[in-house]
Amino acid sequence: AQTVTQSQPEMSVQEAETVTLSCTYDTSESDYYLFWYKQPPSRQMILVIRQEAYKQQNATENRFSVNFQKAAKSFSLKISDSQLGDAAMYFCAYRVFYNNNDMRFGAGTRLTVKP
Amino acid sequence: KAGVTQTPRYLIKTRGQQVTLSCSPISGHRSVSWYQQTPGQGLQFLFEYFSETQRNKGNFPGRFSGRQFSNSRSEMNVSTLELGDSALYLCASSSGGQNQETQYFGPGTRLLVL
């Protein structure tokens, strides 16, 4: 079974600084997708960034970037120039490319941004 | 495009009752997935519907059921409610195609069982 582990229940960062959230996963598949979702206190889950496992290049979306290490099964999220609006729960998620398997989520990391 | 919508947003029920939650996916999306989110168990997959057929099912008892209509709207039903069913129920839609695995979430329905 595929599992997703987020080892940091809570993280904090000073506004304008950089923070990295960790995620590891366990799978025997070679083709899959990885995602980072953000869930602010309003509860709406928002897609932050997505990575296809067959792409070696790390995905980037503005201030958000990932460090995807396929061999190590690691998928960390880096937030640069942190803003107060980045404060939220961040979930790492995994989905197999084929067979339409369900999405598996990590337990989440609560990010606090200090002004 | 309008996002995923869920109704109702909040619901209070008592043990033994049943409840039906509704989800309207993004226009053009044919896949709808349901998740239960609780502080203790986190996000857990309930089931996925694609073109009116259940395509995946999580590890939940038969009290949890769902269906999807021809317009891709989906409903989830929970019968004989238990206190432990109190949770945020999230619906997510995707196009359903092999290269479009990104799910977009609705705001959720907060269910409280008393």
Side-chain angles (χ1 to χ4, degrees), chain B residues 10-11 13 22 35 38 68 73 85 87 91 94-96 99 105 110:
Chain B
Y10 303 93
L11 209 48
K13 292 285 186 179
S22 180
Y35 296 87
T38 59
Q68 187 179 34
R73 188 178 70 86
D85 297 333
C91 161
S94 67
S95 68
N99 294 321
F105 285 80
R110 170 75 64 187

Side-chain angles (χ1 to χ4, degrees), chain A residues 6-71:
Chain A
Q6 292 179 250
S7 59
Q8 306 153 315
E10 296 184 358
M11 292 281 285
S12 68
V13 62
Q14 205 71 34
E15 196 176 5
E17 294 188 347
T18 296
V19 65
T20 298
L21 308 184
S22 301
C23 173
T24 58
Y25 56 94
D26 181 29
T27 184
S28 58
E29 302 287 341
S30 58
D31 289 326
Y32 48 87
Y33 293 89
L34 294 163
F35 306 86
W36 278 98
Y37 281 91
K38 167 187 176 181
Q39 190 178 38
S42 67
R43 295 290 186 175
Q44 180 96 39
M45 192 87 75
I46 303 165
L47 177 68
V48 175
I49 201 164
R50 150 190 160 142
Q51 174 83 41
E52 290 91 338
Y54 61 86
K55 291 186 177 179
Q56 291 189 340
Q57 187 174 6
N58 289 326
T60 299
E61 287 288 342
N62 301 315
R63 298 182 295 107
F64 299 88
S65 61
V66 298
N67 183 6
F68 173 48
Q69 301 289 330
K70 191 172 185 179

Side-chain angles (χ1 to χ4, degrees), chain A residues 56-107:
Chain A
Q56 291 189 340
Q57 187 174 6
N58 289 326
T60 299
E61 287 288 342
N62 301 315
R63 298 182 295 107
F64 299 88
S65 61
V66 298
N67 183 6
F68 173 48
Q69 301 289 330
K70 191 172 185 179
K73 297 179 183 176
S74 170
F75 183 60
S76 61
L77 174 70
K78 185 172 83 170
I79 306 174
S80 304
D81 185 25
S82 296
Q83 301 175 0
L84 295 178
D86 294 334
M89 280 290 286
Y90 285 81
F91 293 95
C92 177
Y94 162 101
R95 192 172 195 184
V96 176
F97 189 88
Y98 295 108
N99 298 326
N100 298 306
N101 284 352
D102 57 281
M103 186 102 78
R104 299 296 173 99
F105 286 85

